[in-house]
Amino acid sequence: MRTRLIWLSSIATALFSASCYAHESAAEYKHTNTLKALDFIKQNEIYNPESVIPPQCYTKTEGKHNPCMACHQSYPSTDKRPNIINDGDLQGDYQFSEAGMTNSWTNLFVDRSLKIKDIKDSFISEWVKEDNYHSFINDHENHPQIEAIKLDNLALPKKAFFENGLAKDGSHWVAFNYKPFPSTFWPTNGSTGDVMIRLDKSFRQLKGEDSLDVYFANLSLLEMSMKRLDNITVPNIDERKLQVDLNDDGKFSVITSMPKRSHYVGDAKVVPLTDMLYPKGTEFLHTVRYIGVDENGKPYNAERMKEVRYMKKHGFKNKRKVAISYHREAKEKEFEQLPRTVNLRKRGIDNGFSWTINGFIEDEKGRLRQQHYQELQSCNGCHKTIGTTIDQTFSFARKVEGVKGWGYINLKTQNDTPTLGQKQGEFLTYLQRVGGGDEFRQNKEMLQKWFNHDGSVKTAQVQALPNIYELIMPSRRRALDLNKAYFTIMKEQSYLFGRDATLGVATNVLEKVEDNMPPLEENFRYGFDIRLDWAQAENSKSLKE
């Protein structure tokens, strides 16, 4: 394959005909943009060989603004976690290859306020209410992963899941309530979403028969393993059915808490718990959605999905083999080799750490389609080698702890829980360290609501909020405009140029990194743990009933 890096500044200013958006029907919309990201795919040419560098990495830190700390971390050798990448030195340091020195995410520099001005509120409101997941399942009935990613009524979570998060359709997917990762995944910055987990069959069964007691016992053991907990609260689990004394009290009974064990239970009883590593067969289903707005003007997870993302741990590497993979990656970077991504075709990509990653995204008609190899490559920017992840994942380590965390995501039940090692709320701390409500410091609504004129955060107001929903949800006006902005990206099919639904031209982002760019000052580099201090949240009544 011929490879080249193409800097297309002209794409940043290519405009739609505004009149195209004035129609009530999406079918009447006529796409007029002639510069398409898909042309690179059709011509088998690589647009961005460093797509693993996400747009946020090009933020101007000005020596003091640090959104980098959420992803790039170093931990002491005594921590002994499998993730040994120790990339805290990348905070604000722009250590890119020559190809990466040019910012290829040109959608950041498009003024979408001009593109959306004639899209009617009534049109976009109806657009985001449409269920495109059901048709997606029907359209892809022959896809090799269709049985894995199929979940009835997923567009309407109240119909899809029981209160404990278990899918009603017998698919064994389990939704969990988690704190969104700052700040790309905050709804105020463009998207809502959810995550489901599923363990392999042996973790769900006892003597070949499905057992909820076995399943939630193993899910709870996994949570303890990933978070390094000694005990946890659990849904009512009947030890008599398992014939295992899970809470070590010398009798069989219905339990509501249990300590950590050396092995899983049920048909997976021969599988040992591995510190901060998922067992083989673990799956995640993640939907990225538009922002719905209800009749009261309140945002919610819309029915329409921007993306459906799927991960499966197809193999298992022990801690030593994981370390070898990290060392291999470090060596490739040391010799300035461009990143390599294994193409699994319809099944997606292999991240090199035993995870299969796949994704589906809207086509220009709003129907979910298979993402192309080039579009998927950027997934490895977050799900491969950054210091903050636990086994290359984010969300499960941020699950509301124990029994309260089993159920569909609900931001209204969470307050701003601190990260481990911190006393102050995580989101408040993020606002202070970043100097804005997003990595690019261009979310004007967040700046107006939570920042003083001198750039300091309105700390008392943030701390007084009843939940994080009130902090990170957009207003009705902003939600509609963000939906419109992404709609234009979808119509362009310009995902290779960036998926961030920004409303204006990014001014705090570098178009090109110069060799003499000043790094972050040392006193503006911070430690960060992706895990949260839910015990402290309980003690301070941060978690709402």
Side-chain angles (χ1 to χ4, degrees), residues 319-332:
K319 188 175 180 181
R320 182 181 65 82
K321 290 183 178 180
V322 168
I324 292 173
S325 294
Y326 277 118
H327 287 308
R328 182 187 302 113
E329 178 79 6
K331 182 179 292 186
E332 290 174 356

Side-chain angles (χ1 to χ4, degrees), residues 247-307:
N247 64 351
D248 297 328
D249 66 351
K251 60 183 180 181
F252 294 148
S253 59
V254 176
I255 63 171
T256 56
S257 65
M258 60 183 288
K260 192 175 180 180
R261 299 170 55 84
S262 63
H263 288 69
Y264 292 98
V265 298
D267 290 354
K269 63 184 178 182
V270 298
V271 181
L273 269 69
T274 50
D275 182 44
M276 290 187 165
L277 292 173
Y278 295 98
K280 179 180 178 181
T282 302
E283 298 169 280
F284 286 101
L285 187 61
H286 171 35
T287 73
V288 182
R289 305 178 184 230
Y290 287 82
I291 309 167
V293 180
D294 66 19
E295 61 275 8
N296 298 314
K298 293 294 185 180
Y300 69 95
N301 286 19
E303 292 85 349
R304 174 172 286 278
M305 300 176 190
K306 296 177 177 180
E307 298 182 51

Side-chain angles (χ1 to χ4, degrees), residues 479-497:
L480 293 173
D481 288 345
L482 287 169
N483 287 336
K484 293 176 183 180
Y486 187 84
F487 181 84
T488 67
I489 294 174
M490 177 271 294
K491 283 296 179 181
E492 295 169 355
Q493 290 291 285
S494 60
Y495 305 123
L496 286 184
F497 306 150

Side-chain angles (χ1 to χ4, degrees), residues 302-360:
E303 292 85 349
R304 174 172 286 278
M305 300 176 190
K306 296 177 177 180
E307 298 182 51
V308 174
R309 300 175 176 177
Y310 172 70
M311 290 180 66
K312 180 174 183 177
K313 195 162 189 183
H314 57 256
F316 180 80
K317 293 185 177 183
N318 59 28
K319 188 175 180 181
R320 182 181 65 82
K321 290 183 178 180
V322 168
I324 292 173
S325 294
Y326 277 118
H327 287 308
R328 182 187 302 113
E329 178 79 6
K331 182 179 292 186
E332 290 174 356
K333 289 182 178 179
E334 182 68 23
F335 286 96
E336 296 189 358
Q337 296 179 12
L338 290 173
R340 294 178 296 174
T341 299
V342 177
N343 187 357
L344 302 177
R345 301 187 183 279
K346 282 190 175 183
R347 291 184 176 274
I349 60 174
D350 184 332
N351 76 343
F353 288 81
S354 299
W355 287 99
T356 296
I357 302 174
N358 206 359
F360 305 84

Side-chain angles (χ1 to χ4, degrees), residues 85-363:
I85 194 66
N86 286 328
D87 62 353
D89 62 315
L90 293 182
Q91 292 185 22
D93 211 21
Y94 307 111
Q95 295 181 27
F96 302 153
S97 68
E98 183 178 354
M101 298 293 274
T102 298
N103 185 350
S104 295
W105 304 107
T106 56
N107 271 341
L108 291 173
F109 309 110
V110 176
D111 187 354
R112 296 198 177 271
S113 65
L114 301 176
K115 291 174 173 287
I116 70 175
K117 64 180 182 180
D118 289 327
I119 303 177
K120 292 186 177 181
D121 289 352
S122 57
F123 167 77
I124 203 68
S125 296
E126 291 304 312
W127 175 260
V128 304
K129 290 179 183 177
E130 294 178 6
D131 173 7
N132 60 346
Y133 177 79
H134 181 75
S135 60
F136 156 67
I137 295 299
N138 292 334
D139 290 345
H140 293 79
E141 60 181 7
N142 295 320
H143 192 279
Q145 294 167 330
I146 192 64
E147 292 304 317
I149 57 181
K150 184 165 62 175
L151 201 166
D152 290 351
N153 295 313
L154 186 54
L156 299 169
K158 290 183 179 180
K159 291 185 176 182
F161 303 101
F162 292 111
E163 189 175 347
N164 64 359
L166 186 69
K168 295 180 179 180
D169 65 355
S171 64
H172 305 290
W173 284 110
V174 182
F176 55 91
N177 190 12
Y178 63 98
K179 192 177 184 187
F181 191 72
S183 69
T184 298
F185 288 98
W186 291 355
T188 184
N189 291 322
S191 302
T192 59
D194 51 35
V195 182
M196 286 65 68
I197 189 172
R198 180 166 61 186
L199 300 185
D200 201 30
K201 183 168 64 174
S202 64
F203 293 82
R204 310 191 302 254
Q205 295 186 340
L206 180 64
K207 297 180 180 178
E209 298 292 331
D210 289 343
S211 167
L212 280 183
D213 296 280
V214 167
Y215 199 11
F216 276 98
N218 282 330
L219 285 167
S220 300
L221 288 167
L222 176 62
E223 183 176 351
M224 285 189 277
S225 174
M226 303 309 291
K227 297 180 179 179
R228 287 181 166 171
L229 302 174
D230 293 326
N231 53 71
I232 202 167
T233 59
V234 298
N236 291 346
I237 295 176
D238 193 342
E239 295 176 318
R240 295 167 295 187
K241 294 180 180 178
L242 277 64
Q243 288 295 293
V244 178
D245 183 12
L246 293 174
N247 64 351
D248 297 328
D249 66 351
K251 60 183 180 181
F252 294 148
S253 59
V254 176
I255 63 171
T256 56
S257 65
M258 60 183 288
K260 192 175 180 180
R261 299 170 55 84
S262 63
H263 288 69
Y264 292 98
V265 298
D267 290 354
K269 63 184 178 182
V270 298
V271 181
L273 269 69
T274 50
D275 182 44
M276 290 187 165
L277 292 173
Y278 295 98
K280 179 180 178 181
T282 302
E283 298 169 280
F284 286 101
L285 187 61
H286 171 35
T287 73
V288 182
R289 305 178 184 230
Y290 287 82
I291 309 167
V293 180
D294 66 19
E295 61 275 8
N296 298 314
K298 293 294 185 180
Y300 69 95
N301 286 19
E303 292 85 349
R304 174 172 286 278
M305 300 176 190
K306 296 177 177 180
E307 298 182 51
V308 174
R309 300 175 176 177
Y310 172 70
M311 290 180 66
K312 180 174 183 177
K313 195 162 189 183
H314 57 256
F316 180 80
K317 293 185 177 183
N318 59 28
K319 188 175 180 181
R320 182 181 65 82
K321 290 183 178 180
V322 168
I324 292 173
S325 294
Y326 277 118
H327 287 308
R328 182 187 302 113
E329 178 79 6
K331 182 179 292 186
E332 290 174 356
K333 289 182 178 179
E334 182 68 23
F335 286 96
E336 296 189 358
Q337 296 179 12
L338 290 173
R340 294 178 296 174
T341 299
V342 177
N343 187 357
L344 302 177
R345 301 187 183 279
K346 282 190 175 183
R347 291 184 176 274
I349 60 174
D350 184 332
N351 76 343
F353 288 81
S354 299
W355 287 99
T356 296
I357 302 174
N358 206 359
F360 305 84
I361 200 164
E362 286 182 295
D363 65 16

